[in-house]
Structures are given as C-alpha cells and as structure tokens.
Amino acid sequence: MKKLFKIAILIYFLFTDFILFAQIGGGPGDDDDNGSTGLEGGDPPAAPINVRLWIFIIIGIAYAFLLFKRINKINKPRG
C-alpha cells in the first residue's frame, strides 16, 4: 500500500510538471517571425552560458577523483 502511494505521488508530480510548462499556441499575434508584433515581443538576447563553464569542469573532475579515491580506500584488501 505504501509503495503504491509513493508511485501515485510520483506520477502526479510528473504529470503536473508537464501541465505547468505546456504552452497553447496558435493565438492571435503568435507569429514565428520573432518580430516585435507578437504577444510577447521580440526574443531576448542569448545568455552566454559557457563563460564560466571551465570552473564547473574542474570541480567535477576534482569531485570524481576524490570519489574514486574514497571508493578504492574502502575496497582495498587488508593484509
């Protein structure tokens, strides 16, 4: 019963996530020309997401190294 309840909660949150981000298209002024005549105006400028990406790469490599080091220390045979 408890497992069924957890699965039902998971399915509920997955489906509400899809519903929350759904968009209804085809309304008046909903053109694909990216002009300023649409309902939302023009597109905002693109955000540069790769400016500090190398910092996350270094942190990820360091985390993986420490994780593998700890796993090898735990699995090291004694004697």
Side-chain angles (χ1 to χ4, degrees), residues 4-78:
L4 182 65
F5 181 71
K6 288 181 182 179
I7 292 173
I9 294 288
L10 176 70
I11 290 172
Y12 171 76
F13 281 116
L14 284 175
F15 283 131
T16 55
D17 184 43
F18 288 124
I19 292 170
L20 289 175
F21 294 109
Q23 295 179 0
I24 300 173
D30 190 18
D31 298 330
D32 287 337
D33 61 354
N34 291 332
S36 62
T37 60
L39 293 175
E40 297 179 6
D43 289 336
I49 61 169
N50 59 352
V51 175
R52 304 267 188 230
L53 193 59
W54 58 272
I55 293 174
F56 291 116
I57 292 171
I58 291 172
I59 291 171
I61 291 171
Y63 176 72
F65 175 75
L66 293 173
L67 185 67
F68 285 131
K69 187 176 176 182
R70 184 173 51 176
I71 289 173
N72 286 337
K73 190 176 192 181
I74 292 171
N75 294 335
K76 186 176 181 182
R78 297 179 189 207

